[in-house]
Amino acid sequence: MKKTLLIILGATALLGNAQQVTVTSSTSPLKGVETAFYPTLNSSGDKLLYSDVDANGLKMLDFSTNQVSTISNDGGAGFDAKWSADGKVYYVTSKVDEKSRLVYRTGMRYDLAQKANDVVLEAQHGAVHLETGTRGMAMNGERRNYATSPNRGVSVYTTGSQLVVNINGKENRYTPVESYAGYLWSSISPNGDKIAFFAAGKGIVVTDLRGKVLAELGNYEMPCWYNNDYIVAQNATDDGYQFTSSQILLLKADGTFKHELTPKTSMTMQPTSGGGKIAYTTIDGNLTVITIDIK
């Protein structure tokens, strides 16, 4: 009798904590105009970066005017472009040297007010990692680095199977979970107290600022923070050659809740979030922007 009562109480508690998620709006702002891949919303959700399928070139959609402007036509510019805390855009271009056949990467900054690009990290061979902070931005190359300031608040990036966390200029490196294939897609929560990243073979991992694992959310990809408690992610499957399904999920950062925002057959991918909006594209490049209500 006691065991039965505990089961009933437990089930009641789960039902009491059950959450409901409703999509309150859905638009396709570029439908019939052009395709969009690698979308990236700014923190206020009023501007969005995107690129073509090969990440060549970088464009910006301003939702307040519905105008599209070109930031760069260079190769690789759209692959990992990021917004900084001051509203500027940082991105990395890549070019193959005709003589050596080596790939050289250049760190770039775009000023929206001036509508101008400038080089902040001269071309170098090797990977360049963008480090997004709560108060600044950095680019970390194998030979040279760039930072907006030594004190970037809390910032994070990944290299190999290391999570690199910088707090007020002091850098620490952690390996919260084993992943021989490495980590990707790290980001700081809006309140600056948690980190989410993807570990190959493990999925999405949430840690504190000292690399302590707080939750493992499942084998999903491309996590981005919706708010300090929820994460939007991609759930994709493939047959080794091409995608067989892909959908967008809403996950609670403590691992207690999951909701399908799109069906597996939708082939939706590459989620981004900002200002209460969620944007994603499809395998064909159809950009969709939604808002949701969580109860």
Side-chain angles (χ1 to χ4, degrees):
M1 182 66 181
K2 184 177 180 181
K3 182 178 180 180
T4 303
L5 180 60
L6 288 173
I7 292 173
I8 293 172
L9 289 173
T12 303
L14 286 173
L15 288 171
N17 291 328
Q19 290 154 297
Q20 294 181 334
V21 179
T22 305
V23 175
T24 54
S25 69
S26 177
T27 60
S28 299
L30 295 175
K31 191 172 183 179
V33 179
E34 60 185 8
T35 57
F37 296 89
Y38 307 103
T40 304
L41 282 163
N42 64 353
S43 59
S44 57
D46 62 346
K47 295 179 178 64
L48 180 136
L49 304 173
Y50 67 96
S51 184
D52 68 13
V53 66
D54 296 317
N56 291 317
L58 180 62
K59 293 184 177 183
M60 182 186 72
L61 170 62
D62 189 330
F63 290 105
S64 63
T65 62
N66 289 321
Q67 296 296 308
V68 171
S69 56
T70 298
I71 292 176
S72 172
N73 289 313
D74 293 333
F79 180 68
D80 194 28
K82 295 185 183 299
W83 295 95
S84 68
D86 61 2
K88 294 182 174 65
V89 177
Y90 288 81
Y91 62 98
V92 177
T93 63
S94 59
K95 186 177 181 179
V96 178
D97 182 78
E98 293 182 0
K99 293 183 179 179
S100 66
R101 308 308 299 170
L102 297 176
V103 177
Y104 283 81
R105 294 176 174 85
T106 303
M108 302 294 299
R109 174 179 57 196
Y110 179 74
D111 188 312
L112 275 69
Q114 302 296 322
K115 297 182 179 180
N117 286 288
D118 65 308
V119 175
V120 296
L121 189 61
E122 295 293 336
Q124 61 181 301
H125 174 55
V128 175
H129 303 281
L130 274 70
E131 178 184 341
T132 306
T134 55
R135 289 201 295 268
M137 175 72 67
M139 294 183 175
N140 299 281
E142 295 182 13
R143 291 169 176 80
R144 291 182 295 276
N145 303 319
Y146 164 81
T148 54
S149 70
N151 185 352
R152 296 183 292 281
V154 180
S155 60
V156 63
Y157 72 99
T158 62
T159 176
S161 293
Q162 288 187 322
L163 185 67
V164 186
V165 184
N166 191 304
I167 303 176
N168 297 324
K170 184 178 180 181
E171 182 179 284
N172 289 289
R173 294 176 178 243
Y174 305 102
T175 303
V177 295
E178 289 187 6
S179 176
Y180 297 107
Y183 299 164
L184 290 169
W185 303 308
S186 61
S187 60
I188 299 287
S189 65
N191 289 358
D193 59 349
K194 295 189 287 288
I195 297 167
F197 67 97
F198 170 81
K202 287 280 188 178
I204 297 174
V205 180
V206 179
T207 73
D208 64 13
L209 301 186
R210 295 184 177 182
K212 179 184 177 182
V213 175
L214 301 177
E216 295 186 31
L217 306 187
N219 196 20
Y220 313 122
E221 309 89 30
M222 303 190 76
C224 60
W225 292 92
Y226 173 73
N227 57 27
N228 216 63
D229 298 314
Y230 289 89
I231 288 171
V232 183
Q234 168 186 294
N235 177 29
T237 60
D238 63 80
D239 59 9
Y241 299 96
Q242 59 185 3
F243 288 109
T244 55
S245 71
S246 190
Q247 67 179 149
I248 306 301
L249 300 178
L250 180 71
L251 309 169
K252 198 162 187 182
D254 62 5
T256 61
F257 177 77
K258 176 179 72 174
H259 178 79
E260 297 181 353
L261 292 174
T262 62
K264 290 182 179 179
T265 55
S266 64
M267 300 302 285
T268 47
M269 55 188 60
Q270 300 176 355
T272 178
S273 184
K277 295 177 181 176
I278 297 169
Y280 52 83
T281 190
T282 67
I283 196 168
D284 298 318
N286 180 30
L287 177 73
T288 299
V289 180
I290 65 172
T291 57
I292 62 174
D293 181 52
I294 305 172
K295 292 182 179 179

